[in-house]
Amino acid sequence: MNKPDVLVVGGGVVGCAVALEAAGRGATVVLLERERLAAGASYGAGGMLAPQVEADRPGPLLELGLRARAMFPGWCAALEGAAGLDMGGILRVVATEAGADALRERARWQRAMGLVARLCDPAECAELAPGGASAVLGLWVPDGRVDAHGFTLAVAQAALRAGAQIRLGVPVSRVLDGAVEAAGTRWEAGAVVVAAGAWSGLLCGVPVAPVKGQRLMLRHTGAPLPLTLWSDRCYLVPKAGGRVLVGATEEPEAGFDRRATVAGVAALAAAAAATLPALAAAELEEAWAGFRPAAPDRLPLLGRLPGHERTWLATGHHRNGILLAPLTGLLLAEAILEGAALPAACDPGRLQA
Ligand SMILES: Cc1cc2nc3c(=O)[nH]c(=O)nc-3n(C[C@H](O)[C@H](O)[C@H](O)COP(=O)(O)OP(=O)(O)OC[C@H]3O[C@@H](n4cnc5c(N)ncnc54)[C@H](O)[C@@H]3O)c2cc1C
């Protein structure tokens, strides 16, 4: 492809979603990825679609998250592959009275917004999550989950079917206005979209930094966990084949240190067993660490790279990049190809000194 309409940098969930939405609108699209698809955070994320659990208050993150969550059933129905969508809800449990007060307050403001947020007494918690440690109170919300890796690969496949080209093993070294340099070659495009996750800051000089997160994958042979269970200490996300994902540490000081550490694994393993005691006997299948791409205000950067006309940013999704990917793809494709406005709260210009 000589000069594509859209050139995407990064083959994580966000880059693949932008490629799919742009190609689906008839644009010519090339995606450049330096390693393999889902080489970054999108490989090992919890996959929770959790705007109601993640948001501590009303605001733009919750609004974007709710819009994004509503897109998943339609999106996943159109994908081929093991996206693992389940909209069976998330149960957040607390073990202290202070935690219960906070949960009641969360239920109050979410209901005031017209959202479903159901408080559950200990008996209801035990029914929803059999085998869970005793809780003082629970809050069930209609959030969901996917398999982050499977979803990302399925989105990439759909982008290919829509006509996008995906080039793997191509490290982009420089981002220009409407062009990039990669492995000694200059690639021109109608529009460039930087979706390089936690590395976007290194590529473009924007304030996006890695927030390291470790998580475990456990092989659990006991009674399957029927829904995502979020306690004071960790979250447990059911995965295919009886597996349970345990997340996650938050280590902003660790930079790009990719190692799963003894301290991280020990803390997560103890938290998992405290939340669902049967997991003490589970097999540790994988310990993994990835990097959430985070802006100082923890909101995404969606819009033109400041000072550029034809280079755009789709990054900074922090803890919610799997959830926000379909919406990001849609918003960027509409903005680039149709001139639609992007959410003001996500304007990259807000972070300029
Ligand atoms: C432990 C953990 C748990 C999480 N749980 C959840 C969750 O439950 N729900 C949720 O919604 N989100 C979750 N997240 C966040 C989510 O994983 C991220 O927000 C999301 O994956 C970011 O996607 P991305 O495509 O922007 O970045 P990435 O997935 O990191 O992809 C970036 C890609 O760009 C490529 N790249 C980088 N630099 C270059 C370059 N110079 N040239 C070419 N390619 C390049 C990388 O190789 C990589 O493949 C979690 C994250 C972590 C770490």
Side-chain angles (χ1 to χ4, degrees):
M1 209 177 282
N2 241 351
K3 180 177 168 183
D5 298 320
V6 180
L7 186 142
V8 181
V9 181
V13 72
V14 172
C16 292
V18 171
L20 171 57
E21 285 289 339
R25 281 170 175 68
T28 51
V29 178
V30 172
L31 183 152
L32 304 181
E33 161 58 48
R34 68 179 172 191
E35 288 183 54
R36 58 189 181 282
L37 290 168
S42 305
Y43 167 78
M48 290 177 292
L49 312 174
Q52 287 186 240
V53 173
E54 287 279 344
D56 288 329
R57 65 189 74 87
L61 185 63
L62 179 61
E63 280 166 34
L64 292 169
L66 292 171
R67 271 182 80 184
R69 186 181 72 186
M71 291 174 73
F72 270 82
W75 250 59
C76 288
L79 297 178
E80 291 168 14
L85 178 69
D86 184 307
M87 295 305 291
I90 297 184
L91 178 66
R92 184 165 180 167
V93 290
V94 291
T96 63
E97 276 306 329
D101 286 344
L103 219 49
R104 284 187 200 97
E105 174 56 15
R106 175 178 284 265
R108 188 200 58 72
W109 68 255
Q110 294 202 348
R111 282 192 203 139
M113 292 179 65
L115 300 172
V116 175
R118 185 158 59 84
L119 287 168
C120 301
D121 64 22
E124 288 169 306
C125 291
E127 207 170 296
L128 285 169
S134 62
V136 170
L137 191 68
L139 179 65
W140 182 91
V141 294
D143 285 342
R145 65 177 192 265
V146 288
D147 176 78
H149 187 216
F151 177 69
T152 304
L153 298 184
V155 175
Q157 285 301 325
L160 286 170
R161 281 199 305 278
Q165 285 188 17
I166 296 180
R167 305 281 179 91
L168 303 178
V170 183
V172 170
S173 51
R174 196 153 168 233
V175 173
L176 306 158
D177 200 356
V180 303
E181 288 173 8
T185 303
R186 186 180 165 104
W187 298 69
E188 304 269 350
V192 168
V193 180
V194 177
W199 298 272
S200 302
L202 298 178
L203 260 181
C204 302
V206 288
V208 171
V211 176
K212 178 180 175 180
Q214 301 187 47
R215 66 93 171 121
L216 310 179
M217 189 67 82
L218 305 182
R219 193 181 282 272
H220 173 48
T221 50
L225 179 64
L227 86 180
T228 300
L229 182 59
W230 181 307
S231 75
D232 297 330
R233 296 181 57 181
C234 67
Y235 53 76
L236 305 175
V237 190
K239 297 291 172 190
R243 291 180 179 79
V244 175
L245 183 149
V246 185
T249 65
E250 287 241 12
E251 304 169 67
E253 67 293 344
F256 284 106
D257 173 4
R258 228 184 236 275
R259 296 170 308 145
T261 61
V262 170
V265 172
L268 290 170
T275 302
L276 189 71
L279 290 180
E283 177 188 342
L284 175 57
E285 187 177 276
E286 183 186 42
W288 173 88
F291 307 111
R292 306 171 185 92
D297 62 4
R298 305 305 195 231
L299 284 171
L301 281 75
L302 308 178
R304 285 191 174 85
L305 176 64
H308 293 64
E309 267 307 300
R310 294 191 293 127
T311 294
W312 301 69
L313 294 167
T315 187
H317 295 78
H318 192 224
R319 296 174 57 92
N320 293 288
I322 308 298
L323 167 68
L324 296 174
L327 181 63
T328 298
L330 176 78
L331 292 173
L332 262 290
E334 285 181 349
I336 293 168
L337 302 172
E338 296 157 20
L342 285 159
C346 301
D347 182 352
R350 75 187 188 277
L351 299 170
Q352 285 200 297

